[in-house]
Amino acid sequence: MPSLTPAYLKINLLAGLTVALALVPEAIAFALVAHLSPLTGLYAAVIVAFITSCFGGRPGMISAAAGSLAVVMVALVVQHGAQYLLAAVVLMGVLQLLFAAARLGKFIRMVPHPVMLGFVNGLALVIFLAQFNHFKEPGPDGSAQWMAGSELAVMAGIIVVTMAVIYLTPRLTKAVPSTLVGILVASVGCALLGIETKTVGDLGSIAGGLPGFALPDVPWNLETLRIVFPYSLVLAGVGLIESLLTLTLIDEITDTRGQPNRESLALGAANVAAGLFGGMGGCALIGQSMINVNSGATGRLSGIAAALFLLAFILFGSGWIEAIPLAALVGVMFVVCEKTFEWGTFRLVGKVPRADLCVIVLVAGITLVYDLALAVIAGVIVSALVFAWQHAKQVRAAVSHDEQGWKVYALEGTLFFASVTPFQALFTPKDDPQDVIIDFLHARVVDHSAIQAIDALAERYRLLGKRLHLRYLSPDCRELLDKARGMVEVNLVEDPRYRVADDKLA
């Protein structure tokens, strides 16, 4: 627990205030995307941010209502109503609690770096493009139309001024978060100059009271479970993936180590509470987390402060917050996108394997077009297949003859499903002498496909009337082999010991 020095308090409280201001339009917009009231998104932001900041495994990370979840929720709300969504959010939290109880969070460390880069770049583009929705307004026929003329020029001007202030402020002082200075300069400037522009209040009113506890008003039966479970499962997966990948990103930025299982546990508890108190649930937000960390706030206080400031806005300060120019917050998010995007990706061209670059582009593209969970799963699968392909090509054999004239294949590499074909191509049974040795001292047999390949090779030599001698195989291999079992030469002192992935041994 860091000491509560004046400097620590100032950094974290000001960062929390900045994050709270940035959360308002996002929470409202996400709620509207899901066809919910603005307060549903705001209550979720307060509850999820507070609980995850207090008890989560990654201090400094901000969680709240998220757009990646909103796009999943909309179909359920349209078809069955908001109460079914609240039930789905509660179940989502329960599934995340089970995930944490099973201690599965550690597997996020297995996500390859190219997938991480694609995730970061994809979300940066998603956040960037989402801001352009604020450049639209209802037309005469009720459809959304792009701004034009002086209205567009004013909004663009405020965005440019806000971004300029954010970039220039650190050169003058680092005592106050530059994003907060940018919001204040834009808000005060518009008020003093009487500039008419779109404000936070145009998205919806944020005035309200304390969230109240209530069980979702749905029938508590198997039919309701059948309706909400598929949505809850997807929501739980998307929320966990986005939160744990954001946790990993902040770990890299701060050179510290978060606790994935603890974060999953806190996120699950937060979503259960959100569903019971009228919130739409949430997960980590990379944009607001970057605002927080870039402000120097890497403790729990900033997230707690953001939740409490946001609640204060709802209870007491709605009039002031609704008067903030929306363009100022759009400018903040544009800066966040610029700082989040890994521009170094372009310097990797020609320096890393093309397969890695393809994975980065694939994950970013799927994140942009579909959703984050699908993008990460696709990226991991493609990375695994590329790894298997590259590893399969590393199987080779040094060929020699011993003093008896027996031919010796000294095998190197890993024998598994992807390397079976190149393994079989190493041998020439018809041309080999009567006795052949395969030396596995510098090789590893991994799975059932490898065992089958050894058996098949032994059968080829047997049909030709030749003797095959298998050396340096593990006890697992000897037990699993069928046709080649009698050809294994056992050396209890020198034989390696490793496991083979095969259900036969279970």
Side-chain angles (χ1 to χ4, degrees), residues 311-364:
L311 182 61
F313 297 161
I314 297 171
L315 298 177
F316 313 114
S318 59
W320 292 349
I321 303 303
E322 289 171 9
I324 294 176
L326 199 56
L329 299 176
V330 171
V332 168
M333 298 312 295
F334 279 164
V335 173
V336 169
C337 295
E338 185 274 326
K339 292 184 177 181
T340 301
F341 192 90
E342 289 286 350
W343 298 99
T345 305
F346 296 110
R347 294 195 294 271
L348 297 177
V349 178
K351 298 180 180 179
V352 300
R354 284 179 292 179
D356 287 352
L357 293 175
C358 290
V359 170
I360 295 171
V361 174
L362 174 70
V363 174

Side-chain angles (χ1 to χ4, degrees), residues 388-408:
W389 175 256
Q390 296 294 337
H391 219 54
K393 294 190 295 184
Q394 295 175 10
V395 174
R396 54 189 176 273
V399 181
S400 62
H401 290 78
D402 66 7
E403 62 278 1
Q404 302 176 75
W406 295 6
K407 190 172 184 179
V408 180

